[in-house]
């Protein structure tokens, strides 16, 4: 199985960024540990701070992967373009948030992308990525 993990804006520096919310493990270290856990899955990771780039990554991933794990960061709350890209492709997308967006500011309750995703995982810290990957197994 081939899975692509897409991280959106400001997620390149988790581990440093607001550690009380996002934890203190760098994504690089965490992604290496995911590779040792899911040895049977071909995992690839990409990070982008750009909305248009995320749209292109989604389209370019169509038919090449069995699933996509998407943390669109702040674009989750604003981006019709990313929502339309998720809708347009046939690869199933599982959305995730590290933090529990429903326990934070009210603007984070609005998610434009969630309803076109296979499912949403939110609030389990960095472990949310592991749960999202597990959701594609079976
Ligand atoms: C986030 C939650 C978003 O509201 C925020 O803008 C992020 C990270 C999360 O993983 O908890 O950048 O997607």
């Amino acid at each position: 199985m081939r899975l692509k993990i897409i991280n959106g804006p400001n997620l390149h520096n988790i581990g440093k960024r607001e550690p009380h919310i996002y934890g203190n493990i760098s994504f690089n270290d965490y992604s290496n540990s995911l590779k040792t856990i899911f040895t049977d899955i071909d995992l690839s990771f990409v990070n982008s701070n750009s909305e248009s780039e995320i749209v292109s990554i989604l389209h370019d991933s169509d038919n090449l992967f069995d699933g996509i794990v998407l943390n669109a960061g702040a674009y989750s709350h604003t981006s019709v373009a990313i929502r339309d890209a998720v809708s347009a492709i046939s690869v199933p997308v599982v959305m995730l948030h590290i933090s529990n967006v429903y326990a934070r500011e009210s603007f984070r309750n609005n998610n434009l992308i969630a309803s076109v995703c296979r499912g949403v995982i939110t609030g389990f810290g960095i472990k949310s990525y592991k749960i999202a990957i597990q959701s594609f197994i079976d």
Side-chain angles (χ1 to χ4, degrees):
M1 177 160 55
R2 299 195 68 199
L3 295 183
K4 187 159 194 110
I5 289 81
I6 304 173
N7 272 334
N10 301 305
L11 292 161
H12 60 284
N13 70 343
I14 53 175
K16 286 192 187 135
R17 172 193 180 195
E18 297 178 280
H20 57 292
I21 298 175
Y22 300 110
N24 43 29
I25 303 173
S26 77
F27 196 76
N28 201 30
D29 287 349
Y30 186 68
S31 62
N32 285 334
S33 78
L34 288 174
K35 284 182 192 157
T36 63
I37 296 168
F38 298 106
T39 48
D40 291 345
I41 303 179
D42 184 356
L43 294 172
S44 61
F45 299 88
V46 62
N47 219 107
S48 175
N49 288 322
S50 149
E51 183 180 26
S52 66
E53 204 169 64
I54 294 170
V55 168
S56 299
I57 291 167
L58 285 163
H59 283 286
D60 293 346
S61 301
D62 204 11
N63 300 317
L64 293 181
F65 292 89
D66 301 296
I68 292 173
V69 173
L70 173 64
N71 185 348
Y75 289 138
S76 314
H77 316 299
T78 61
S79 179
V80 175
I82 294 177
R83 177 201 168 92
D84 286 351
V86 170
S87 278
I89 61 175
S90 50
V91 184
V93 176
V94 168
M95 159 159 270
L96 80 82
H97 296 291
I98 298 167
S99 63
N100 180 356
V101 288
Y102 300 104
R104 299 182 63 192
E105 301 94 331
S106 57
F107 62 82
R108 294 183 208 274
N109 293 355
N110 185 38
N111 191 319
L112 297 184
I113 305 170
S115 62
V116 292
C117 292
R118 176 185 274 185
V120 181
I121 293 153
T122 185
F124 294 95
I126 195 86
K127 202 172 68 179
S128 299
Y129 289 90
K130 184 178 171 193
I131 298 168
I133 293 166
Q134 276 165 336
S135 75
F136 284 100
I137 301 169
D138 298 334

